[in-house]
Amino acid sequence: MAYLIDELKLEKIYLKSYHTFGRFKFNVDTFLDKPGISRHHAIIEYTNDNWLIRDVSTNGIWINDRKIDKNLPYQLSENDKIDFAAPGQNSFVVGSLNANCQYFVSQNNRKNVIEVENQMLLPNEEEPTHIVYYDALLNYWFLEDLTTSDRQALIDGGITSLFGEQWLFYCAGISTMTKHLEQQPAVKPLALSFAVSLDEEKTELSLHVEGEEYNLGSRSHHYLLLLLARTRIEDKQAGVDTESQGWVYREDLAKQLGVQMNHMNIMVHRARKQLSETAPERAPEAGYIIETNNGQLRLNCQDVTILKGAQLETRISL
Protein backbone atom coordinates (compact mmCIF):
# COMPACT_ATOMS: atom_id res chain seq x y z
CA MET A 1 0.00 0.00 0.00
CA ALA A 2 1.13 3.56 -0.67
CA TYR A 3 0.82 6.15 2.08
CA LEU A 4 2.27 9.26 3.65
CA ILE A 5 2.67 9.75 7.40
CA ASP A 6 1.44 12.99 8.95
CA GLU A 7 4.34 13.94 11.24
CA LEU A 8 2.09 15.94 13.58
CA LYS A 9 -0.79 13.49 13.95
CA LEU A 10 1.29 10.34 13.24
CA GLU A 11 -1.53 9.14 10.96
CA LYS A 12 -1.27 7.40 7.63
CA ILE A 13 -2.63 9.15 4.53
CA TYR A 14 -3.41 6.40 2.02
CA LEU A 15 -2.85 7.40 -1.60
CA LYS A 16 -5.19 6.97 -4.53
CA SER A 17 -3.67 6.72 -7.99
CA TYR A 18 -4.60 10.40 -8.44
CA HIS A 19 -4.56 12.12 -5.08
CA THR A 20 -5.12 15.82 -4.36
CA PHE A 21 -4.21 17.94 -1.33
CA GLY A 22 -5.48 21.36 -0.36
CA ARG A 23 -7.82 23.64 1.59
CA PHE A 24 -10.84 23.18 -0.72
CA LYS A 25 -12.55 20.74 1.67
CA PHE A 26 -15.11 19.18 -0.64
CA ASN A 27 -12.90 18.99 -3.72
CA VAL A 28 -9.65 17.40 -2.52
CA ASP A 29 -8.75 13.93 -1.26
CA THR A 30 -6.74 15.17 1.72
CA PHE A 31 -7.97 18.34 3.43
CA LEU A 32 -5.20 20.56 4.84
CA ASP A 33 -6.69 23.43 6.85
CA LYS A 34 -3.44 25.24 7.66
CA PRO A 35 -2.06 28.76 7.00
CA GLY A 36 -0.48 29.11 3.60
CA ILE A 37 -2.19 26.08 2.09
CA SER A 38 -3.84 26.76 -1.26
CA ARG A 39 -7.30 25.55 -2.19
CA HIS A 40 -5.59 23.11 -4.54
CA HIS A 41 -2.04 22.72 -3.30
CA ALA A 42 -0.57 19.45 -4.62
CA ILE A 43 -1.25 16.43 -6.75
CA ILE A 44 0.35 13.03 -6.22
CA GLU A 45 -0.17 10.67 -9.14
CA TYR A 46 0.84 7.08 -9.92
CA THR A 47 2.01 6.82 -13.52
CA ASN A 48 4.43 4.54 -15.39
CA ASP A 49 5.23 2.65 -12.18
CA ASN A 50 6.29 5.83 -10.37
CA TRP A 51 4.67 8.16 -7.84
CA LEU A 52 4.99 11.80 -8.90
CA ILE A 53 4.15 14.95 -6.92
CA ARG A 54 3.27 18.25 -8.57
CA ASP A 55 3.08 21.68 -6.97
CA VAL A 56 -0.05 23.56 -8.11
CA SER A 57 -0.04 26.02 -5.20
CA THR A 58 0.78 29.62 -4.45
CA ASN A 59 3.24 29.04 -1.60
CA GLY A 60 5.11 25.97 -2.82
CA ILE A 61 6.25 22.49 -1.76
CA TRP A 62 9.56 21.41 -0.24
CA ILE A 63 10.97 17.89 -0.65
CA ASN A 64 13.77 17.06 1.80
CA ASP A 65 14.11 20.80 2.55
CA ARG A 66 14.48 21.78 -1.12
CA LYS A 67 11.74 23.64 -2.95
CA ILE A 68 10.53 21.93 -6.11
CA ASP A 69 9.60 23.69 -9.33
CA LYS A 70 5.96 24.61 -9.73
CA ASN A 71 3.88 22.47 -12.11
CA LEU A 72 6.80 20.14 -12.84
CA PRO A 73 6.43 16.50 -11.64
CA TYR A 74 8.92 15.33 -9.04
CA GLN A 75 9.45 11.59 -8.50
CA LEU A 76 8.91 10.54 -4.90
CA SER A 77 10.97 7.99 -3.00
CA GLU A 78 10.25 6.27 0.28
CA ASN A 79 11.34 8.28 3.35
CA ASP A 80 11.12 11.57 1.44
CA LYS A 81 9.98 14.44 3.64
CA ILE A 82 7.28 16.68 2.15
CA ASP A 83 6.51 20.15 3.50
CA PHE A 84 3.49 22.04 2.21
CA ALA A 85 3.57 25.89 2.05
CA ALA A 86 6.78 26.39 4.09
CA PRO A 87 9.85 24.41 5.20
CA GLY A 88 9.26 22.56 8.44
CA GLN A 89 5.49 23.08 8.33
CA ASN A 90 2.63 20.78 7.35
CA SER A 91 5.15 17.96 7.15
CA PHE A 92 4.62 14.44 5.83
CA VAL A 93 6.98 11.51 5.28
CA VAL A 94 6.59 9.04 2.44
CA GLY A 95 5.99 5.79 4.33
CA SER A 96 5.43 3.42 1.41
CA LEU A 97 5.07 3.58 -2.38
CA ASN A 98 3.98 0.00 -2.94
CA ALA A 99 1.30 0.06 -5.64
CA ASN A 100 1.08 -3.72 -6.00
CA CYS A 101 -1.30 -4.00 -3.10
CA GLN A 102 -5.03 -3.53 -2.64
CA TYR A 103 -6.81 -2.73 0.58
CA PHE A 104 -9.98 -1.50 2.25
CA VAL A 105 -9.69 1.29 4.82
CA SER A 106 -12.52 1.74 7.32
CA GLN A 107 -13.97 5.25 7.44
CA ASN A 108 -14.93 4.70 11.09
CA ASN A 109 -11.38 3.83 12.13
CA ARG A 110 -8.63 4.46 9.57
CA LYS A 111 -6.34 2.11 11.47
CA ASN A 112 -8.67 -0.72 10.49
CA VAL A 113 -7.23 -1.90 7.16
CA ILE A 114 -7.99 -5.08 5.20
CA GLU A 115 -5.25 -6.06 2.75
CA VAL A 116 -6.77 -7.82 -0.25
CA GLU A 117 -5.30 -10.79 -2.07
CA ASN A 118 -6.15 -12.01 -5.58
CA GLN A 119 -9.27 -13.79 -4.34
CA MET A 120 -10.32 -13.40 -0.75
CA LEU A 121 -13.26 -14.39 1.42
CA LEU A 122 -14.49 -11.81 3.91
CA PRO A 123 -14.58 -11.52 6.86
CA ASN A 124 -12.87 -14.92 7.03
CA GLU A 125 -12.66 -18.37 5.40
CA GLU A 126 -14.82 -20.02 8.08
CA GLU A 127 -17.91 -17.79 7.90
CA PRO A 128 -17.68 -15.73 4.71
CA THR A 129 -20.37 -13.28 3.66
CA HIS A 130 -18.52 -11.68 0.73
CA ILE A 131 -15.80 -12.44 -1.76
CA VAL A 132 -13.46 -9.89 -3.31
CA TYR A 133 -11.62 -10.90 -6.46
CA TYR A 134 -9.70 -9.53 -9.41
CA ASP A 135 -10.93 -10.16 -12.95
CA ALA A 136 -7.78 -10.21 -15.09
CA LEU A 137 -9.74 -10.05 -18.33
CA LEU A 138 -11.75 -6.97 -17.37
CA ASN A 139 -8.81 -5.54 -15.39
CA TYR A 140 -11.08 -4.75 -12.48
CA TRP A 141 -11.75 -5.68 -8.85
CA PHE A 142 -15.19 -6.88 -7.75
CA LEU A 143 -16.95 -7.35 -4.43
CA GLU A 144 -19.72 -9.96 -4.41
CA ASP A 145 -22.29 -10.71 -1.73
CA LEU A 146 -22.31 -14.49 -1.31
CA THR A 147 -25.89 -14.50 -0.07
CA THR A 148 -27.55 -12.36 -2.74
CA SER A 149 -24.95 -12.75 -5.54
CA ASP A 150 -25.01 -8.95 -5.95
CA ARG A 151 -21.74 -7.80 -7.52
CA GLN A 152 -20.19 -4.35 -7.56
CA ALA A 153 -17.10 -3.07 -9.30
CA LEU A 154 -14.47 -1.56 -7.01
CA ILE A 155 -12.66 1.58 -8.14
CA ASP A 156 -9.56 3.19 -6.73
CA GLY A 157 -10.64 5.51 -3.92
CA GLY A 158 -14.28 4.45 -4.17
CA ILE A 159 -16.52 4.00 -1.14
CA THR A 160 -18.34 0.73 -0.52
CA SER A 161 -20.56 -0.60 2.28
CA LEU A 162 -19.31 -3.69 4.06
CA PHE A 163 -20.09 -5.14 7.51
CA GLY A 164 -22.36 -2.23 8.34
CA GLU A 165 -19.79 0.52 7.74
CA GLN A 166 -18.21 2.52 4.94
CA TRP A 167 -14.83 1.54 3.47
CA LEU A 168 -12.51 3.18 0.94
CA PHE A 169 -10.95 0.81 -1.58
CA TYR A 170 -7.44 1.47 -2.92
CA CYS A 171 -5.91 -0.22 -5.98
CA ALA A 172 -3.48 2.27 -7.50
CA GLY A 173 -1.61 -0.33 -9.54
CA ILE A 174 -4.69 -1.34 -11.55
CA SER A 175 -5.51 0.57 -14.70
CA THR A 176 -8.99 1.70 -15.65
CA MET A 177 -11.29 -0.90 -17.13
CA THR A 178 -12.00 -0.40 -20.82
CA LYS A 179 -14.73 -3.01 -21.26
CA HIS A 180 -18.37 -2.88 -20.23
CA LEU A 181 -18.85 -4.64 -16.90
CA GLU A 182 -21.75 -6.78 -18.11
CA GLN A 183 -20.02 -7.89 -21.29
CA GLN A 184 -18.63 -11.40 -21.00
CA PRO A 185 -15.74 -12.20 -23.36
CA ALA A 186 -16.19 -14.78 -26.08
CA VAL A 187 -14.58 -18.06 -25.10
CA LYS A 188 -12.14 -19.72 -27.49
CA PRO A 189 -12.83 -23.29 -28.66
CA LEU A 190 -12.17 -24.98 -25.34
CA ALA A 191 -13.07 -28.51 -24.27
CA LEU A 192 -13.58 -30.19 -20.91
CA SER A 193 -13.06 -33.84 -20.02
CA PHE A 194 -14.60 -35.21 -16.82
CA ALA A 195 -13.74 -38.49 -15.11
CA VAL A 196 -16.25 -39.10 -12.33
CA SER A 197 -16.26 -42.09 -9.99
CA LEU A 198 -19.21 -44.49 -9.96
CA ASP A 199 -20.42 -43.10 -6.64
CA GLU A 200 -19.82 -39.55 -7.94
CA GLU A 201 -17.74 -38.68 -4.88
CA LYS A 202 -14.67 -37.80 -6.95
CA THR A 203 -14.53 -35.76 -10.15
CA GLU A 204 -11.31 -35.23 -12.11
CA LEU A 205 -11.16 -32.59 -14.83
CA SER A 206 -8.97 -31.76 -17.82
CA LEU A 207 -9.03 -28.60 -19.91
CA HIS A 208 -8.17 -28.78 -23.61
CA VAL A 209 -6.88 -25.61 -25.30
CA GLU A 210 -5.94 -25.69 -28.98
CA GLY A 211 -4.82 -29.32 -28.83
CA GLU A 212 -3.02 -28.99 -25.48
CA GLU A 213 -4.36 -30.87 -22.43
CA TYR A 214 -4.13 -29.46 -18.89
CA ASN A 215 -4.88 -31.80 -15.97
CA LEU A 216 -6.75 -29.89 -13.26
CA GLY A 217 -6.88 -32.79 -10.83
CA SER A 218 -9.82 -33.51 -8.53
CA ARG A 219 -11.63 -30.64 -6.79
CA SER A 220 -15.07 -30.32 -5.22
CA HIS A 221 -16.01 -27.56 -7.66
CA HIS A 222 -15.40 -29.92 -10.60
CA TYR A 223 -18.65 -31.66 -9.70
CA LEU A 224 -20.45 -28.31 -10.03
CA LEU A 225 -19.04 -28.01 -13.56
CA LEU A 226 -20.14 -31.57 -14.26
CA LEU A 227 -23.73 -30.78 -13.22
CA LEU A 228 -23.73 -27.74 -15.50
CA ALA A 229 -22.34 -29.85 -18.35
CA ARG A 230 -25.03 -32.50 -17.94
CA THR A 231 -27.78 -29.86 -17.95
CA ARG A 232 -26.40 -28.31 -21.13
CA ILE A 233 -26.18 -31.74 -22.77
CA GLU A 234 -29.74 -32.69 -21.76
CA ASP A 235 -31.10 -29.46 -23.23
CA LYS A 236 -29.19 -29.95 -26.47
CA GLN A 237 -30.45 -33.50 -26.82
CA ALA A 238 -34.01 -32.29 -26.13
CA GLY A 239 -33.77 -29.82 -29.01
CA VAL A 240 -33.63 -26.63 -26.93
CA ASP A 241 -32.21 -23.73 -28.95
CA THR A 242 -28.54 -22.93 -28.36
CA GLU A 243 -29.07 -19.62 -26.55
CA SER A 244 -31.46 -21.24 -24.05
CA GLN A 245 -29.48 -24.41 -23.37
CA GLY A 246 -28.03 -25.23 -19.99
CA TRP A 247 -29.20 -22.35 -17.81
CA VAL A 248 -29.62 -23.24 -14.12
CA TYR A 249 -30.74 -20.91 -11.35
CA ARG A 250 -28.13 -20.54 -8.62
CA GLU A 251 -30.51 -21.72 -5.89
CA ASP A 252 -31.38 -24.85 -7.90
CA LEU A 253 -27.72 -25.63 -8.45
CA ALA A 254 -27.04 -25.22 -4.73
CA LYS A 255 -29.83 -27.73 -4.00
CA GLN A 256 -28.37 -30.22 -6.49
CA LEU A 257 -24.99 -29.90 -4.79
CA GLY A 258 -26.53 -30.11 -1.33
CA VAL A 259 -24.81 -26.95 -0.12
CA GLN A 260 -25.78 -23.47 1.06
CA MET A 261 -25.98 -20.68 -1.51
CA ASN A 262 -22.86 -18.89 -0.26
CA HIS A 263 -20.87 -22.13 -0.40
CA MET A 264 -22.05 -22.72 -3.95
CA ASN A 265 -21.00 -19.18 -4.94
CA ILE A 266 -17.56 -19.81 -3.46
CA MET A 267 -17.32 -22.99 -5.56
CA VAL A 268 -18.17 -20.99 -8.70
CA HIS A 269 -15.42 -18.49 -7.97
CA ARG A 270 -12.89 -21.20 -7.23
CA ALA A 271 -13.78 -22.95 -10.50
CA ARG A 272 -13.43 -19.72 -12.46
CA LYS A 273 -10.14 -18.92 -10.75
CA GLN A 274 -8.66 -22.34 -11.47
CA LEU A 275 -9.79 -22.28 -15.11
CA SER A 276 -8.51 -18.76 -15.76
CA GLU A 277 -5.13 -19.53 -14.17
CA THR A 278 -4.59 -22.87 -15.91
CA ALA A 279 -3.43 -21.43 -19.24
CA PRO A 280 -3.21 -17.67 -18.64
CA GLU A 281 -1.24 -16.94 -21.81
CA ARG A 282 -3.23 -19.12 -24.20
CA ALA A 283 -6.71 -18.90 -22.70
CA PRO A 284 -7.03 -16.16 -20.03
CA GLU A 285 -10.79 -16.09 -20.71
CA ALA A 286 -11.25 -19.76 -19.67
CA GLY A 287 -12.99 -18.65 -16.45
CA TYR A 288 -15.86 -17.52 -18.65
CA ILE A 289 -16.65 -21.14 -19.47
CA ILE A 290 -19.10 -20.47 -16.64
CA GLU A 291 -21.56 -17.90 -17.98
CA THR A 292 -23.90 -15.89 -15.76
CA ASN A 293 -27.18 -14.15 -16.55
CA ASN A 294 -29.90 -12.84 -14.21
CA GLY A 295 -29.18 -15.22 -11.36
CA GLN A 296 -28.53 -18.18 -13.66
CA LEU A 297 -25.40 -20.11 -14.62
CA ARG A 298 -24.46 -22.34 -17.51
CA LEU A 299 -21.44 -24.03 -19.06
CA ASN A 300 -20.13 -22.61 -22.32
CA CYS A 301 -17.44 -24.60 -24.07
CA GLN A 302 -17.02 -26.38 -27.39
CA ASP A 303 -16.77 -30.06 -26.45
CA VAL A 304 -17.52 -32.14 -23.36
CA THR A 305 -16.43 -35.69 -22.59
CA ILE A 306 -17.73 -37.48 -19.50
CA LEU A 307 -16.34 -40.80 -18.27
CA LYS A 308 -18.18 -42.45 -15.40
CA GLY A 309 -16.09 -45.19 -13.87
CA ALA A 310 -14.52 -46.87 -16.89
CA GLN A 311 -17.48 -46.24 -19.19
CA LEU A 312 -18.03 -43.38 -21.62
CA GLU A 313 -21.15 -41.49 -20.54
CA THR A 314 -21.08 -38.70 -23.10
CA ARG A 315 -18.91 -37.15 -25.80
CA ILE A 316 -20.60 -34.21 -27.47
CA SER A 317 -20.02 -30.88 -29.20
CA LEU A 318 -22.09 -28.05 -27.77
Side-chain angles (χ1 to χ4, degrees):
M1 60 186 69
Y3 59 87
L4 309 183
I5 300 173
D6 186 325
E7 285 200 329
L8 180 62
K9 298 179 181 178
L10 297 179
E11 293 179 351
K12 292 181 179 178
I13 307 298
Y14 295 98
L15 297 176
K16 295 165 51 180
S17 54
Y18 185 88
H19 199 106
T20 57
F21 297 77
R23 194 167 42 82
F24 193 178
K25 186 172 184 178
F26 300 106
N27 204 27
V28 294
D29 297 302
T30 297
F31 174 56
L32 301 175
D33 188 19
K34 299 290 181 63
I37 299 294
S38 300
R39 284 161 60 86
H40 291 96
H41 200 103
I43 298 168
I44 294 181
E45 184 174 9
Y46 182 72
T47 181
N48 297 324
D49 297 327
N50 292 307
W51 288 94
L52 307 177
I53 188 170
R54 192 153 46 92
D55 176 19
V56 292
S57 72
T58 301
N59 293 325
I61 295 174
W62 280 256
I63 306 291
N64 301 325
D65 299 321
R66 295 184 61 181
K67 190 175 184 180
I68 65 174
D69 294 326
K70 187 172 182 178
N71 285 319
L72 291 180
Y74 178 93
Q75 183 175 331
L76 290 172
S77 299
E78 291 186 0
N79 299 315
D80 277 348
K81 180 187 175 187
I82 305 172
D83 295 321
F84 295 104
Q89 295 186 31
N90 312 309
S91 300
F92 296 79
V93 173
V94 179
S96 173
L97 295 176
N98 179 15
N100 298 315
C101 180
Q102 299 71 227
Y103 45 99
F104 291 101
V105 179
S106 170
Q107 296 305 282
N108 294 346
N109 178 6
R110 294 185 65 83
K111 293 182 180 180
N112 190 4
V113 178
I114 302 174
E115 293 193 37
V116 178
E117 300 172 1
N118 185 42
Q119 178 171 294
M120 187 172 180
L121 294 170
L122 299 174
N124 53 59
E125 292 271 348
E126 289 71 33
E127 297 181 355
T129 59
H130 294 76
I131 185 167
V132 57
Y133 61 95
Y134 176 62
D135 189 314
L137 216 63
L138 293 177
N139 201 27
Y140 229 69
W141 284 90
F142 291 96
L143 177 70
E144 186 167 320
D145 189 314
L146 290 172
T147 303
T148 65
S149 299
D150 290 339
R151 183 177 78 155
Q152 62 175 301
L154 299 170
I155 62 173
D156 183 36
I159 295 178
T160 188
S161 295
L162 191 62
F163 315 134
E165 58 181 295
Q166 300 291 305
W167 300 74
L168 271 174
F169 182 71
Y170 293 83
C171 56
I174 302 299
S175 61
T176 303
M177 184 186 66
T178 58
K179 301 179 183 179
H180 193 280
L181 297 184
E182 298 304 319
Q183 179 181 352
Q184 296 188 122
V187 178
K188 288 180 182 177
L190 306 175
L192 295 178
S193 295
F194 296 90
V196 59
S197 61
L198 288 174
D199 59 8
E200 305 214 345
E201 290 295 323
K202 180 180 180 182
T203 306
E204 296 184 355
L205 179 65
S206 295
L207 173 68
H208 302 264
V209 181
E210 299 175 333
E212 189 79 20
E213 180 177 359
Y214 299 86
N215 187 344
L216 278 63
S218 176
R219 301 285 189 277
S220 60
H221 55 256
H222 293 170
Y223 191 67
L224 177 148
L225 295 172
L226 176 62
L227 293 180
L228 291 175
R230 284 172 169 166
T231 302
R232 182 77 189 265
I233 291 165
E234 288 172 4
D235 284 354
K236 179 179 176 64
Q237 292 174 338
V240 177
D241 68 274
T242 302
E243 291 303 312
S244 301
Q245 289 174 10
W247 291 107
V248 182
Y249 282 101
R250 287 176 181 262
E251 54 266 31
D252 292 336
L253 185 58
K255 289 177 183 177
Q256 291 181 53
L257 291 164
V259 299
Q260 297 295 319
M261 178 74 83
N262 65 338
H263 187 193
M264 189 276 296
N265 286 329
I266 293 168
M267 293 172 72
V268 170
H269 283 289
R270 285 176 175 165
R272 276 185 159 175
K273 184 173 186 287
Q274 185 186 31
L275 287 165
S276 62
E277 293 179 350
T278 296
E281 299 299 323
R282 302 182 68 181
E285 77 286 4
Y288 288 91
I289 283 177
I290 305 175
E291 289 187 303
T292 60
N293 184 37
N294 295 325
Q296 295 177 295
L297 303 167
R298 80 164 178 176
L299 195 72
N300 177 30
C301 60
Q302 185 182 47
D303 298 298
V304 172
T305 299
I306 302 174
L307 293 174
K308 184 166 182 177
Q311 300 296 316
L312 177 66
E313 178 180 304
T314 308
R315 178 173 287 134
I316 193 169
S317 295
L318 299 173

